Amino acid sequence: MESMEKEIITRYGADVMRFVSRTVRQREDAEELVQDVFVRALRAKDQFDASKSSIRTWLTRIAYNEVMRYHERQSHRPMMVELNELRDDKP
């Protein structure tokens, strides 16, 4: 990883984590999303236009999109139910 990329992660990582953690309560999920944000940002770094937004704003938008995808995936997950709860002859 290049030093500029490390600097961006170091400088904005906590901000992105705070943003993601507002709606993603599981710390492990939030950490994974933050990692996804920076992977997406680094892959799309040629698309960043400083005349349109700051790096912080750009990263926040990527984080927003990742959080929305996360919640969309969560809403389609099957609900886990204990087998005991499905029994007809519950006491």
Side-chain angles (χ1 to χ4, degrees):
M1 185 180 309
E2 296 177 26
S3 65
M4 184 174 170
E5 294 166 348
K6 286 181 185 177
E7 182 180 332
I8 288 171
I9 292 169
T10 300
R11 185 168 182 184
Y12 298 105
D15 292 337
V16 173
M17 184 63 172
R18 271 191 296 280
F19 178 83
V20 170
S21 295
R22 286 187 204 152
T23 62
V24 177
R25 300 294 180 216
Q26 296 295 327
R27 180 150 182 92
E28 298 83 18
D29 290 348
E31 289 171 350
E32 188 173 323
L33 284 173
V34 169
Q35 183 177 3
D36 293 345
V37 167
F38 284 104
V39 167
R40 283 189 179 276
L42 295 175
R43 286 182 180 161
K45 65 185 175 188
D46 295 337
Q47 297 175 16
F48 173 69
D49 184 349
S51 69
K52 291 183 179 179
S53 69
S54 69
I55 292 176
R56 181 187 315 270
T57 301
W58 185 63
L59 290 171
T60 301
R61 185 60 191 183
I62 294 170
Y64 173 83
N65 291 337
E66 286 299 313
V67 166
M68 292 297 102
R69 276 193 275 284
Y70 168 83
H71 286 300
E72 179 67 21
R73 286 189 307 268
Q74 294 299 310
S75 70
H76 289 112
R77 287 178 63 192
M79 185 173 22
M80 298 302 289
V81 178
E82 291 290 324
L83 290 177
N84 298 357
E85 295 176 25
L86 297 176
R87 290 181 37 201
D88 287 337
D89 60 342
K90 285 193 265 186

